[in-house]
Amino acid sequence: MTLTVLAVDDEPPALDELVYLLERRSDVGEVIRAGDATAALRELAENSVEAIFLDINMPGLSGIELARVLGNYSDPPSIVFVTAHEDRAVDAFDVGAVDYLLKPLREERLGQAVERAVAARSAAGGDSRQDVSDDVIPVELSGVTSLVRRDSISWVEAVGDYARLHSDSGAHLVRIPLSTLESRWREHGFSRVHRSYLVYLPMVSGMRTSGSQTLVCVRANGTSPAVELPVSRRQSRELKERLVHDPLRAYRTPSGDDT
């Protein structure tokens, strides 16, 4: 796929550099310019655009606000933010961004963002909105964006309106409520065991009772030790049934473990 890209930045030198780097890409066709969000909306009304690379802090409508407007489109473009501010990544991915680039731009890193925009368009048949039911979740750590595979996540912990993903690459805090992950990931092998925990069934190695409390043992990927998480009384029966019958369990528990 060759993308038609809209580049948006209110600083002319930054916009010139962004356009130059995008035009060097073989997977980028036409690059359209806009100096602010208002001009970007005019261009979007007149042109078919597959991806938009935009700054966050702009006069008038900000990049985040523009992304929210694009979320109402029936077929919104892939969104990549290009900014000097590393503290807005959570907001960026909350509005559906596929990547988050920090200035000054590096050509290699920009190339990765273009590839993600292409993949998002191809995988969703043209619909690039990031969805937590996708195979990967973008996470931000010290200004670096990484993609965490859903099947690398052993368990998820509720942290207020956020969720902490425990994966083979470590723990990652994302701005997604646990209830949202529960509803969207259930068909992919995840099960709610407690108001604060969601577990990936293939990583469950057993259950045990300690006094009046039921605990589930979850194997962590990588070198991390297994953890025991509480199971609420209401969730205990469903968890046992899913451990036995759920086809997504995938028989990944080691031999000798009881479920």
Side-chain angles (χ1 to χ4, degrees):
M1 176 182 291
T2 301
L3 299 177
T4 297
V5 176
L6 175 60
V8 188
D9 200 310
D10 63 306
E11 298 179 357
L15 182 58
D16 289 342
E17 180 187 21
L18 176 59
V19 171
Y20 170 74
L21 292 175
L22 286 169
E23 289 180 337
R24 286 171 58 88
R25 299 280 308 180
S26 61
D27 45 7
V28 173
E30 182 182 6
V31 180
I32 304 168
R33 297 167 173 255
D36 56 37
T38 301
L41 288 171
R42 286 198 299 266
E43 294 293 346
L44 289 168
E46 298 174 0
N47 299 279
S48 177
V49 172
E50 284 83 39
I52 178 170
F53 284 64
L54 72 158
D55 193 11
I56 288 182
N57 290 341
M58 296 184 291
L61 204 65
S62 72
I64 297 292
E65 291 168 331
L66 175 58
R68 291 196 180 102
V69 173
L70 297 180
N72 295 319
Y73 283 35
S74 59
D75 183 20
S78 297
I79 298 172
V80 176
F81 285 104
V82 183
T83 178
H85 303 277
E86 63 180 36
D87 59 345
R88 302 298 302 277
V90 171
D91 293 332
F93 291 120
D94 193 42
V95 295
V98 299
D99 211 337
Y100 187 91
L101 304 181
L102 292 176
K103 298 176 181 178
L105 287 174
R106 292 186 294 112
E107 188 167 7
E108 178 183 359
R109 185 66 183 86
L110 179 73
Q112 294 173 355
V114 173
E115 290 170 359
R116 288 177 183 173
V118 170
R121 299 293 296 182
S122 300
D127 187 350
S128 64
R129 287 171 289 186
Q130 179 69 30
D131 192 297
V132 293
S133 65
D134 288 344
D135 290 334
V136 294
I137 295 286
V139 298
E140 185 74 13
L141 182 63
S142 301
V144 178
T145 304
S146 301
L147 296 179
V148 176
R149 295 193 337 271
R150 182 177 53 213
D151 62 6
S152 76
I153 298 168
S154 299
W155 54 287
V156 185
E157 176 186 6
V159 186
D161 291 333
Y162 290 71
R164 182 172 285 115
L165 313 176
H166 293 267
S167 74
D168 57 5
S169 60
H172 307 280
L173 192 65
V174 294
R175 193 176 182 178
I176 306 169
L178 192 68
S179 57
T180 299
L181 293 176
E182 176 190 8
S183 63
R184 299 191 182 186
W185 284 4
R186 179 180 173 82
E187 64 183 89
H188 299 284
F190 283 80
S191 183
R192 186 75 168 262
V193 299
H194 186 273
R195 66 181 180 180
S196 299
Y197 300 107
L198 185 69
V199 301
Y200 186 38
L201 295 178
M203 302 306 293
V204 172
S205 59
M207 293 178 65
R208 72 180 184 89
T209 301
S210 177
S212 61
Q213 177 68 68
T214 299
L215 301 171
V216 59
C217 183
V218 183
R219 295 181 295 114
N221 283 315
T223 59
S224 300
V227 298
E228 288 188 327
L229 303 175
V231 180
S232 68
R233 187 174 302 174
R234 184 171 64 89
Q235 303 288 353
S236 179
R237 181 176 179 179
E238 180 184 356
L239 176 61
K240 291 176 182 178
E241 290 178 350
R242 291 197 67 187
L243 286 173
V244 173
H245 301 295
D246 198 311
L248 290 174
R249 182 151 164 71
Y251 304 103
R252 285 169 55 184
T253 46
S255 59
D257 285 343
D258 291 329
T259 58

